[in-house]
Amino acid sequence: MRLFRITPALLTIPLVLGGCMGQDNIPDRAEVAEAVKPVIQLNAITMGNPPARGMDSFYKQLDELTIRDFGATVRFDFIPWDEEKSNIGMAIASKKYDFYVGGPWSDFKSFAAKNAFVDLTPLLGEVPALVKHYKGMLEQMKIDGRLYGIPQLNVPGAGREGMLYREDLRKKWQLPEMKDFSVMEQYLYKAKEEFPDTPMIIDKRYSDNLWLALTGDKYYSVAEFAVAPINDPYKVISMFDTPEYKGMVAKAKEWYDAGIVDHDILGAQENETTKTLALMKENKKPLEFNNHFGAVSNSYISALKAAYPEQEYGWMDYKFDMFPSTLFLPNTSANTTTQISIGSNSRYPEIALQFLEKAHTNQTYYNLLVYGVEGENYKLQGGMISYDGIKEENKKQAWTGLMDGYMNVPVRYPEEWQAIVDKLTVKEGPKLAEKNGVDPYQNFLFDTSSLFDELSSLETVQEQYVQPLNLGISKDIEGDLAAMKQKLKEAGIDRYLKVLQEQLDEMEKKERKQP
């Protein structure tokens, strides 16, 4: 995979000497050294692709800010989605970058455990505005007392995982409003009938949302392999021992056999959003079964409406629409949140962290790093971000991990999508989240430091036995389930669950002591 780099020439402050300069006018050596001191360069990775236009202007504007404030420039390499885990791993191994991005979709925690990132805890005194901005949430990001990244920041509301679909087709097919699993499944089968050459689900991660759609009113997902009953969030159960897991596997097999799930899905990437968007832009696929609401709003809608202005789009939110009682105030933790880390190889970690502080607290910095250059990558109309007249290839994708709900500028969306955005993130979503209160796992971080061997073995079982079942690839569900459970037991799942339960018991004791 090719990394895209725009490398600037070394920036210096030139020393200009006037003619006929006398001895008294010659600057001393210290002044000369300071005048020709080179500007340092910080290097970062971000996901996606650079815009076709605007990067020269982007760097010009960014340099003006960062040279003034830090005596530094910042340059980004773009890593396309689809193979993010391997490419981020290669970037970390190269030790070329000051900033890395990661989260639950990468191997962030394993790299953190190998000291790939700077522990930012001792440096927080240098960035008081950043600490104040996060209002204590940085504590929730710590792993074993160490802070390895600055997270993107969500605001209360809905709009997390869900399905993007063609609302105009739902109406044409005379299906009920998209409110529950039954209608969603009807839409999937009808879509497969109308688009027979394209599987409706091509992303390996779909089983996570299938599980959520089937069990969101029954279980919380506590950690990988582990769930807890909705009415008893501190009681750990192996998800594989629940009757609902067998039902999910059966549903996955039904969809796989019907061709709704791609028969080559086992060889697919864990993130096929680029491929899905391309198929939708070619009018070959009328839905995206699993994606994040923010990603769909920022990347899909404008591209699809530019290609097909007459098409309407809807959103089936797996929490807000299906299980509103499980929608809570934002949960910021190293288990769930995309973040920006500073590499342990960085020569300038203090300056790098101060740059992140500016990015999260200064609107000029934020707008440039998230939206790009006004007039080239976006327009500002009535205090709102607009892409009217901006070609899709010229839209700039935000620096991955920087998104901040408290810094975002409202975006002008097509009418039907604007109504969805308002409902989920402005009106009903925040009220519902506030009513439900705080996520029961808001202050919980599963410490797996004593489970190194078990995690390694469980990961192997996950790839060889669990994943095929989750994706619907089975000729004998009963036999495959029995074999999988035996392999999980041999890999140490009992000890894994025991350690998790002990930590939840400790958290429950602390929660009860609080007034």
Side-chain angles (χ1 to χ4, degrees), residues 278-311:
L279 289 169
M280 294 184 75
K281 286 170 66 176
E282 295 169 6
N283 206 24
K284 294 180 179 179
K285 193 171 185 285
L287 63 94
E288 161 72 299
F289 184 79
N290 50 283
N291 209 329
H292 190 278
F293 183 70
V296 168
S297 297
N298 293 330
S299 301
Y300 279 60
I301 296 303
S302 61
L304 294 172
K305 292 295 282 190
Y308 304 101
E310 74 284 358
Q311 293 181 359

PDB file of all heavy atoms in Angstrom, residues 278-311:
ATOM      1  N   ALA A 278     -18.323   3.007  -3.277  1.00  0.00           N
ATOM      2  CA  ALA A 278     -18.150   2.950  -4.734  1.00  0.00           C
ATOM      3  C   ALA A 278     -19.328   2.227  -5.388  1.00  0.00           C
ATOM      4  O   ALA A 278     -19.851   2.672  -6.424  1.00  0.00           O
ATOM      5  CB  ALA A 278     -16.840   2.245  -5.076  1.00  0.00           C
ATOM      6  N   LEU A 279     -19.776   1.130  -4.796  1.00  0.00           N
ATOM      7  CA  LEU A 279     -20.921   0.393  -5.344  1.00  0.00           C
ATOM      8  C   LEU A 279     -22.200   1.227  -5.283  1.00  0.00           C
ATOM      9  O   LEU A 279     -23.013   1.213  -6.217  1.00  0.00           O
ATOM     10  CB  LEU A 279     -21.114  -0.920  -4.579  1.00  0.00           C
ATOM     11  CG  LEU A 279     -20.065  -2.004  -4.826  1.00  0.00           C
ATOM     12  CD1 LEU A 279     -20.212  -3.128  -3.820  1.00  0.00           C
ATOM     13  CD2 LEU A 279     -20.198  -2.557  -6.251  1.00  0.00           C
ATOM     14  N   MET A 280     -22.371   1.969  -4.201  1.00  0.00           N
ATOM     15  CA  MET A 280     -23.563   2.806  -4.083  1.00  0.00           C
ATOM     16  C   MET A 280     -23.516   3.959  -5.080  1.00  0.00           C
ATOM     17  O   MET A 280     -24.547   4.347  -5.649  1.00  0.00           O
ATOM     18  CB  MET A 280     -23.709   3.320  -2.649  1.00  0.00           C
ATOM     19  CG  MET A 280     -23.985   2.233  -1.618  1.00  0.00           C
ATOM     20  SD  MET A 280     -24.283   2.850   0.062  1.00  0.00           S
ATOM     21  CE  MET A 280     -25.956   3.507  -0.099  1.00  0.00           C
ATOM     22  N   LYS A 281     -22.337   4.514  -5.323  1.00  0.00           N
ATOM     23  CA  LYS A 281     -22.203   5.599  -6.301  1.00  0.00           C
ATOM     24  C   LYS A 281     -22.434   5.098  -7.731  1.00  0.00           C
ATOM     25  O   LYS A 281     -22.797   5.871  -8.613  1.00  0.00           O
ATOM     26  CB  LYS A 281     -20.815   6.234  -6.188  1.00  0.00           C
ATOM     27  CG  LYS A 281     -20.668   7.105  -4.947  1.00  0.00           C
ATOM     28  CD  LYS A 281     -19.221   7.535  -4.717  1.00  0.00           C
ATOM     29  CE  LYS A 281     -18.727   8.454  -5.789  1.00  0.00           C
ATOM     30  NZ  LYS A 281     -17.356   8.951  -5.512  1.00  0.00           N
ATOM     31  N   GLU A 282     -22.223   3.786  -7.934  1.00  0.00           N
ATOM     32  CA  GLU A 282     -22.502   3.190  -9.239  1.00  0.00           C
ATOM     33  C   GLU A 282     -23.932   2.675  -9.336  1.00  0.00           C
ATOM     34  O   GLU A 282     -24.313   2.042 -10.327  1.00  0.00           O
ATOM     35  CB  GLU A 282     -21.528   2.040  -9.494  1.00  0.00           C
ATOM     36  CG  GLU A 282     -20.073   2.486  -9.624  1.00  0.00           C
ATOM     37  CD  GLU A 282     -19.104   1.313  -9.601  1.00  0.00           C
ATOM     38  OE1 GLU A 282     -19.587   0.156  -9.591  1.00  0.00           O
ATOM     39  OE2 GLU A 282     -17.890   1.548  -9.584  1.00  0.00           O
ATOM     40  N   ASN A 283     -24.731   2.939  -8.287  1.00  0.00           N
ATOM     41  CA  ASN A 283     -26.122   2.512  -8.220  1.00  0.00           C
ATOM     42  C   ASN A 283     -26.252   0.991  -8.305  1.00  0.00           C
ATOM     43  O   ASN A 283     -27.209   0.467  -8.876  1.00  0.00           O
ATOM     44  CB  ASN A 283     -26.964   3.168  -9.319  1.00  0.00           C
ATOM     45  CG  ASN A 283     -28.433   3.267  -8.930  1.00  0.00           C
ATOM     46  OD1 ASN A 283     -28.774   3.274  -7.750  1.00  0.00           O
ATOM     47  ND2 ASN A 283     -29.299   3.321  -9.931  1.00  0.00           N
ATOM     48  N   LYS A 284     -25.298   0.278  -7.710  1.00  0.00           N
ATOM     49  CA  LYS A 284     -25.317  -1.180  -7.709  1.00  0.00           C
ATOM     50  C   LYS A 284     -25.663  -1.753  -6.338  1.00  0.00           C
ATOM     51  O   LYS A 284     -25.787  -2.970  -6.195  1.00  0.00           O
ATOM     52  CB  LYS A 284     -23.950  -1.724  -8.135  1.00  0.00           C
ATOM     53  CG  LYS A 284     -23.574  -1.403  -9.582  1.00  0.00           C
ATOM     54  CD  LYS A 284     -22.204  -1.972  -9.920  1.00  0.00           C
ATOM     55  CE  LYS A 284     -21.822  -1.677 -11.373  1.00  0.00           C
ATOM     56  NZ  LYS A 284     -20.464  -2.206 -11.692  1.00  0.00           N
ATOM     57  N   LYS A 285     -25.830  -0.881  -5.341  1.00  0.00           N
ATOM     58  CA  LYS A 285     -26.083  -1.336  -3.976  1.00  0.00           C
ATOM     59  C   LYS A 285     -26.878  -0.246  -3.257  1.00  0.00           C
ATOM     60  O   LYS A 285     -26.463   0.912  -3.251  1.00  0.00           O
ATOM     61  CB  LYS A 285     -24.751  -1.594  -3.270  1.00  0.00           C
ATOM     62  CG  LYS A 285     -24.821  -2.354  -1.955  1.00  0.00           C
ATOM     63  CD  LYS A 285     -23.393  -2.705  -1.504  1.00  0.00           C
ATOM     64  CE  LYS A 285     -23.381  -3.562  -0.261  1.00  0.00           C
ATOM     65  NZ  LYS A 285     -23.697  -2.819   0.958  1.00  0.00           N
ATOM     66  N   PRO A 286     -28.025  -0.582  -2.646  1.00  0.00           N
ATOM     67  CA  PRO A 286     -28.875   0.459  -2.057  1.00  0.00           C
ATOM     68  C   PRO A 286     -28.735   0.608  -0.538  1.00  0.00           C
ATOM     69  O   PRO A 286     -29.615   1.179   0.098  1.00  0.00           O
ATOM     70  CB  PRO A 286     -30.279  -0.037  -2.414  1.00  0.00           C
ATOM     71  CG  PRO A 286     -30.153  -1.530  -2.292  1.00  0.00           C
ATOM     72  CD  PRO A 286     -28.749  -1.866  -2.737  1.00  0.00           C
ATOM     73  N   LEU A 287     -27.649   0.092   0.047  1.00  0.00           N
ATOM     74  CA  LEU A 287     -27.538   0.182   1.497  1.00  0.00           C
ATOM     75  C   LEU A 287     -26.103  -0.059   1.952  1.00  0.00           C
ATOM     76  O   LEU A 287     -25.275  -0.593   1.224  1.00  0.00           O
ATOM     77  CB  LEU A 287     -28.458  -0.841   2.179  1.00  0.00           C
ATOM     78  CG  LEU A 287     -28.155  -2.325   1.918  1.00  0.00           C
ATOM     79  CD1 LEU A 287     -27.258  -2.915   3.011  1.00  0.00           C
ATOM     80  CD2 LEU A 287     -29.436  -3.136   1.821  1.00  0.00           C
ATOM     81  N   GLU A 288     -25.839   0.378   3.175  1.00  0.00           N
ATOM     82  CA  GLU A 288     -24.608   0.060   3.908  1.00  0.00           C
ATOM     83  C   GLU A 288     -25.067  -0.481   5.246  1.00  0.00           C
ATOM     84  O   GLU A 288     -25.630   0.248   6.068  1.00  0.00           O
ATOM     85  CB  GLU A 288     -23.759   1.316   4.070  1.00  0.00           C
ATOM     86  CG  GLU A 288     -22.702   1.273   5.160  1.00  0.00           C
ATOM     87  CD  GLU A 288     -21.522   0.384   4.848  1.00  0.00           C
ATOM     88  OE1 GLU A 288     -21.765  -0.827   4.672  1.00  0.00           O
ATOM     89  OE2 GLU A 288     -20.388   0.878   4.785  1.00  0.00           O
ATOM     90  N   PHE A 289     -24.863  -1.773   5.481  1.00  0.00           N
ATOM     91  CA  PHE A 289     -25.455  -2.418   6.651  1.00  0.00           C
ATOM     92  C   PHE A 289     -24.841  -1.960   7.953  1.00  0.00           C
ATOM     93  O   PHE A 289     -25.525  -1.856   8.963  1.00  0.00           O
ATOM     94  CB  PHE A 289     -25.327  -3.943   6.548  1.00  0.00           C
ATOM     95  CG  PHE A 289     -25.994  -4.681   7.681  1.00  0.00           C
ATOM     96  CD1 PHE A 289     -27.368  -4.872   7.689  1.00  0.00           C
ATOM     97  CD2 PHE A 289     -25.251  -5.168   8.749  1.00  0.00           C
ATOM     98  CE1 PHE A 289     -27.992  -5.535   8.741  1.00  0.00           C
ATOM     99  CE2 PHE A 289     -25.858  -5.839   9.802  1.00  0.00           C
ATOM    100  CZ  PHE A 289     -27.240  -6.014   9.797  1.00  0.00           C
ATOM    101  N   ASN A 290     -23.550  -1.710   7.970  1.00  0.00           N
ATOM    102  CA  ASN A 290     -22.911  -1.313   9.222  1.00  0.00           C
ATOM    103  C   ASN A 290     -21.889  -0.213   8.991  1.00  0.00           C
ATOM    104  O   ASN A 290     -20.934  -0.368   8.252  1.00  0.00           O
ATOM    105  CB  ASN A 290     -22.237  -2.495   9.920  1.00  0.00           C
ATOM    106  CG  ASN A 290     -21.335  -3.281   9.004  1.00  0.00           C
ATOM    107  OD1 ASN A 290     -21.810  -4.063   8.191  1.00  0.00           O
ATOM    108  ND2 ASN A 290     -20.027  -3.090   9.127  1.00  0.00           N
ATOM    109  N   ASN A 291     -22.162   0.901   9.642  1.00  0.00           N
ATOM    110  CA  ASN A 291     -21.210   2.003   9.642  1.00  0.00           C
ATOM    111  C   ASN A 291     -21.583   2.945  10.773  1.00  0.00           C
ATOM    112  O   ASN A 291     -22.651   2.839  11.368  1.00  0.00           O
ATOM    113  CB  ASN A 291     -21.193   2.741   8.307  1.00  0.00           C
ATOM    114  CG  ASN A 291     -19.829   3.354   8.012  1.00  0.00           C
ATOM    115  OD1 ASN A 291     -19.098   3.747   8.911  1.00  0.00           O
ATOM    116  ND2 ASN A 291     -19.488   3.448   6.740  1.00  0.00           N
ATOM    117  N   HIS A 292     -20.688   3.875  11.048  1.00  0.00           N
ATOM    118  CA  HIS A 292     -20.914   4.865  12.085  1.00  0.00           C
ATOM    119  C   HIS A 292     -21.639   6.061  11.478  1.00  0.00           C
ATOM    120  O   HIS A 292     -21.349   6.471  10.359  1.00  0.00           O
ATOM    121  CB  HIS A 292     -19.575   5.288  12.683  1.00  0.00           C
ATOM    122  CG  HIS A 292     -19.684   6.122  13.903  1.00  0.00           C
ATOM    123  ND1 HIS A 292     -19.910   7.482  13.862  1.00  0.00           N
ATOM    124  CD2 HIS A 292     -19.626   5.799  15.220  1.00  0.00           C
ATOM    125  CE1 HIS A 292     -19.973   7.954  15.089  1.00  0.00           C
ATOM    126  NE2 HIS A 292     -19.792   6.966  15.934  1.00  0.00           N
ATOM    127  N   PHE A 293     -22.557   6.615  12.241  1.00  0.00           N
ATOM    128  CA  PHE A 293     -23.366   7.717  11.740  1.00  0.00           C
ATOM    129  C   PHE A 293     -22.513   8.897  11.286  1.00  0.00           C
ATOM    130  O   PHE A 293     -22.775   9.511  10.247  1.00  0.00           O
ATOM    131  CB  PHE A 293     -24.353   8.165  12.822  1.00  0.00           C
ATOM    132  CG  PHE A 293     -25.280   9.256  12.378  1.00  0.00           C
ATOM    133  CD1 PHE A 293     -26.285   9.001  11.453  1.00  0.00           C
ATOM    134  CD2 PHE A 293     -25.154  10.545  12.877  1.00  0.00           C
ATOM    135  CE1 PHE A 293     -27.144  10.011  11.040  1.00  0.00           C
ATOM    136  CE2 PHE A 293     -26.007  11.554  12.476  1.00  0.00           C
ATOM    137  CZ  PHE A 293     -27.008  11.285  11.549  1.00  0.00           C
ATOM    138  N   GLY A 294     -21.492   9.222  12.048  1.00  0.00           N
ATOM    139  CA  GLY A 294     -20.632  10.335  11.673  1.00  0.00           C
ATOM    140  C   GLY A 294     -19.918  10.092  10.361  1.00  0.00           C
ATOM    141  O   GLY A 294     -19.800  10.993   9.521  1.00  0.00           O
ATOM    142  N   ALA A 295     -19.436   8.853  10.150  1.00  0.00           N
ATOM    143  CA  ALA A 295     -18.735   8.528   8.909  1.00  0.00           C
ATOM    144  C   ALA A 295     -19.675   8.624   7.718  1.00  0.00           C
ATOM    145  O   ALA A 295     -19.308   9.123   6.646  1.00  0.00           O
ATOM    146  CB  ALA A 295     -18.134   7.126   9.003  1.00  0.00           C
ATOM    147  N   VAL A 296     -20.900   8.146   7.892  1.00  0.00           N
ATOM    148  CA  VAL A 296     -21.888   8.218   6.810  1.00  0.00           C
ATOM    149  C   VAL A 296     -22.230   9.668   6.497  1.00  0.00           C
ATOM    150  O   VAL A 296     -22.292  10.076   5.330  1.00  0.00           O
ATOM    151  CB  VAL A 296     -23.156   7.426   7.198  1.00  0.00           C
ATOM    152  CG1 VAL A 296     -24.296   7.714   6.235  1.00  0.00           C
ATOM    153  CG2 VAL A 296     -22.858   5.926   7.209  1.00  0.00           C
ATOM    154  N   SER A 297     -22.448  10.464   7.540  1.00  0.00           N
ATOM    155  CA  SER A 297     -22.807  11.866   7.336  1.00  0.00           C
ATOM    156  C   SER A 297     -21.686  12.636   6.645  1.00  0.00           C
ATOM    157  O   SER A 297     -21.932  13.468   5.772  1.00  0.00           O
ATOM    158  CB  SER A 297     -23.134  12.524   8.682  1.00  0.00           C
ATOM    159  OG  SER A 297     -24.259  11.917   9.284  1.00  0.00           O
ATOM    160  N   ASN A 298     -20.444  12.346   7.028  1.00  0.00           N
ATOM    161  CA  ASN A 298     -19.315  13.113   6.513  1.00  0.00           C
ATOM    162  C   ASN A 298     -18.841  12.635   5.143  1.00  0.00           C
ATOM    163  O   ASN A 298     -18.329  13.435   4.358  1.00  0.00           O
ATOM    164  CB  ASN A 298     -18.140  13.039   7.497  1.00  0.00           C
ATOM    165  CG  ASN A 298     -18.445  13.749   8.799  1.00  0.00           C
ATOM    166  OD1 ASN A 298     -19.202  14.702   8.833  1.00  0.00           O
ATOM    167  ND2 ASN A 298     -17.864  13.269   9.880  1.00  0.00           N
ATOM    168  N   SER A 299     -18.988  11.337   4.847  1.00  0.00           N
ATOM    169  CA  SER A 299     -18.382  10.788   3.630  1.00  0.00           C
ATOM    170  C   SER A 299     -19.386  10.316   2.580  1.00  0.00           C
ATOM    171  O   SER A 299     -19.104  10.401   1.388  1.00  0.00           O
ATOM    172  CB  SER A 299     -17.456   9.610   4.006  1.00  0.00           C
ATOM    173  OG  SER A 299     -16.439  10.034   4.888  1.00  0.00           O
ATOM    174  N   TYR A 300     -20.524   9.808   3.016  1.00  0.00           N
ATOM    175  CA  TYR A 300     -21.444   9.172   2.080  1.00  0.00           C
ATOM    176  C   TYR A 300     -22.452  10.141   1.462  1.00  0.00           C
ATOM    177  O   TYR A 300     -22.659  10.147   0.251  1.00  0.00           O
ATOM    178  CB  TYR A 300     -22.219   8.038   2.777  1.00  0.00           C
ATOM    179  CG  TYR A 300     -21.480   6.736   2.901  1.00  0.00           C
ATOM    180  CD1 TYR A 300     -20.282   6.643   3.592  1.00  0.00           C
ATOM    181  CD2 TYR A 300     -21.990   5.568   2.335  1.00  0.00           C
ATOM    182  CE1 TYR A 300     -19.606   5.432   3.720  1.00  0.00           C
ATOM    183  CE2 TYR A 300     -21.324   4.359   2.468  1.00  0.00           C
ATOM    184  CZ  TYR A 300     -20.139   4.308   3.160  1.00  0.00           C
ATOM    185  OH  TYR A 300     -19.475   3.121   3.281  1.00  0.00           O
ATOM    186  N   ILE A 301     -23.105  10.924   2.321  1.00  0.00           N
ATOM    187  CA  ILE A 301     -24.305  11.632   1.884  1.00  0.00           C
ATOM    188  C   ILE A 301     -24.026  12.625   0.763  1.00  0.00           C
ATOM    189  O   ILE A 301     -24.711  12.632  -0.269  1.00  0.00           O
ATOM    190  CB  ILE A 301     -24.982  12.334   3.079  1.00  0.00           C
ATOM    191  CG1 ILE A 301     -25.464  11.282   4.089  1.00  0.00           C
ATOM    192  CG2 ILE A 301     -26.149  13.181   2.615  1.00  0.00           C
ATOM    193  CD1 ILE A 301     -26.430  10.247   3.515  1.00  0.00           C
ATOM    194  N   SER A 302     -23.033  13.465   0.929  1.00  0.00           N
ATOM    195  CA  SER A 302     -22.760  14.456  -0.119  1.00  0.00           C
ATOM    196  C   SER A 302     -22.337  13.781  -1.414  1.00  0.00           C
ATOM    197  O   SER A 302     -22.716  14.209  -2.510  1.00  0.00           O
ATOM    198  CB  SER A 302     -21.690  15.439   0.343  1.00  0.00           C
ATOM    199  OG  SER A 302     -20.472  14.773   0.612  1.00  0.00           O
ATOM    200  N   ALA A 303     -21.556  12.699  -1.309  1.00  0.00           N
ATOM    201  CA  ALA A 303     -21.112  11.992  -2.516  1.00  0.00           C
ATOM    202  C   ALA A 303     -22.293  11.355  -3.244  1.00  0.00           C
ATOM    203  O   ALA A 303     -22.399  11.428  -4.479  1.00  0.00           O
ATOM    204  CB  ALA A 303     -20.085  10.922  -2.149  1.00  0.00           C
ATOM    205  N   LEU A 304     -23.194  10.746  -2.494  1.00  0.00           N
ATOM    206  CA  LEU A 304     -24.340  10.073  -3.107  1.00  0.00           C
ATOM    207  C   LEU A 304     -25.347  11.077  -3.665  1.00  0.00           C
ATOM    208  O   LEU A 304     -25.900  10.868  -4.754  1.00  0.00           O
ATOM    209  CB  LEU A 304     -25.008   9.150  -2.088  1.00  0.00           C
ATOM    210  CG  LEU A 304     -24.164   7.953  -1.638  1.00  0.00           C
ATOM    211  CD1 LEU A 304     -24.837   7.215  -0.487  1.00  0.00           C
ATOM    212  CD2 LEU A 304     -23.917   6.997  -2.802  1.00  0.00           C
ATOM    213  N   LYS A 305     -25.573  12.161  -2.936  1.00  0.00           N
ATOM    214  CA  LYS A 305     -26.523  13.164  -3.429  1.00  0.00           C
ATOM    215  C   LYS A 305     -25.970  13.898  -4.647  1.00  0.00           C
ATOM    216  O   LYS A 305     -26.733  14.336  -5.515  1.00  0.00           O
ATOM    217  CB  LYS A 305     -26.854  14.158  -2.314  1.00  0.00           C
ATOM    218  CG  LYS A 305     -27.661  13.559  -1.169  1.00  0.00           C
ATOM    219  CD  LYS A 305     -29.057  13.105  -1.585  1.00  0.00           C
ATOM    220  CE  LYS A 305     -30.007  14.264  -1.709  1.00  0.00           C
ATOM    221  NZ  LYS A 305     -31.419  13.815  -1.883  1.00  0.00           N
ATOM    222  N   ALA A 306     -24.647  14.034  -4.723  1.00  0.00           N
ATOM    223  CA  ALA A 306     -24.049  14.656  -5.906  1.00  0.00           C
ATOM    224  C   ALA A 306     -24.239  13.769  -7.122  1.00  0.00           C
ATOM    225  O   ALA A 306     -24.472  14.252  -8.239  1.00  0.00           O
ATOM    226  CB  ALA A 306     -22.560  14.920  -5.671  1.00  0.00           C
ATOM    227  N   ALA A 307     -24.153  12.446  -6.912  1.00  0.00           N
ATOM    228  CA  ALA A 307     -24.315  11.506  -8.028  1.00  0.00           C
ATOM    229  C   ALA A 307     -25.779  11.315  -8.401  1.00  0.00           C
ATOM    230  O   ALA A 307     -26.121  11.195  -9.588  1.00  0.00           O
ATOM    231  CB  ALA A 307     -23.683  10.163  -7.666  1.00  0.00           C
ATOM    232  N   TYR A 308     -26.664  11.298  -7.386  1.00  0.00           N
ATOM    233  CA  TYR A 308     -28.093  11.038  -7.615  1.00  0.00           C
ATOM    234  C   TYR A 308     -28.923  12.003  -6.767  1.00  0.00           C
ATOM    235  O   TYR A 308     -29.415  11.642  -5.686  1.00  0.00           O
ATOM    236  CB  TYR A 308     -28.435   9.599  -7.250  1.00  0.00           C
ATOM    237  CG  TYR A 308     -27.608   8.558  -7.964  1.00  0.00           C
ATOM    238  CD1 TYR A 308     -26.540   7.936  -7.316  1.00  0.00           C
ATOM    239  CD2 TYR A 308     -27.880   8.220  -9.287  1.00  0.00           C
ATOM    240  CE1 TYR A 308     -25.771   6.984  -7.967  1.00  0.00           C
ATOM    241  CE2 TYR A 308     -27.103   7.267  -9.948  1.00  0.00           C
ATOM    242  CZ  TYR A 308     -26.051   6.663  -9.283  1.00  0.00           C
ATOM    243  OH  TYR A 308     -25.286   5.722  -9.939  1.00  0.00           O
ATOM    244  N   PRO A 309     -29.093  13.230  -7.208  1.00  0.00           N
ATOM    245  CA  PRO A 309     -29.832  14.220  -6.409  1.00  0.00           C
ATOM    246  C   PRO A 309     -31.255  13.790  -6.078  1.00  0.00           C
ATOM    247  O   PRO A 309     -31.818  14.223  -5.067  1.00  0.00           O
ATOM    248  CB  PRO A 309     -29.827  15.465  -7.310  1.00  0.00           C
ATOM    249  CG  PRO A 309     -28.698  15.259  -8.259  1.00  0.00           C
ATOM    250  CD  PRO A 309     -28.603  13.789  -8.482  1.00  0.00           C
ATOM    251  N   GLU A 310     -31.836  12.952  -6.917  1.00  0.00           N
ATOM    252  CA  GLU A 310     -33.235  12.569  -6.723  1.00  0.00           C
ATOM    253  C   GLU A 310     -33.409  11.477  -5.665  1.00  0.00           C
ATOM    254  O   GLU A 310     -34.526  11.237  -5.178  1.00  0.00           O
ATOM    255  CB  GLU A 310     -33.838  12.097  -8.054  1.00  0.00           C
ATOM    256  CG  GLU A 310     -33.379  10.717  -8.534  1.00  0.00           C
ATOM    257  CD  GLU A 310     -31.970  10.705  -9.131  1.00  0.00           C
ATOM    258  OE1 GLU A 310     -31.343  11.783  -9.211  1.00  0.00           O
ATOM    259  OE2 GLU A 310     -31.500   9.609  -9.520  1.00  0.00           O
ATOM    260  N   GLN A 311     -32.335  10.801  -5.290  1.00  0.00           N
ATOM    261  CA  GLN A 311     -32.447   9.725  -4.322  1.00  0.00           C
ATOM    262  C   GLN A 311     -32.557  10.279  -2.902  1.00  0.00           C
ATOM    263  O   GLN A 311     -31.970  11.304  -2.571  1.00  0.00           O
ATOM    264  CB  GLN A 311     -31.241   8.782  -4.429  1.00  0.00           C
ATOM    265  CG  GLN A 311     -31.198   8.000  -5.729  1.00  0.00           C
ATOM    266  CD  GLN A 311     -30.009   7.047  -5.813  1.00  0.00           C
ATOM    267  OE1 GLN A 311     -29.190   6.980  -4.900  1.00  0.00           O
ATOM    268  NE2 GLN A 311     -29.916   6.308  -6.910  1.00  0.00           N
TER     269      GLN A 311
END
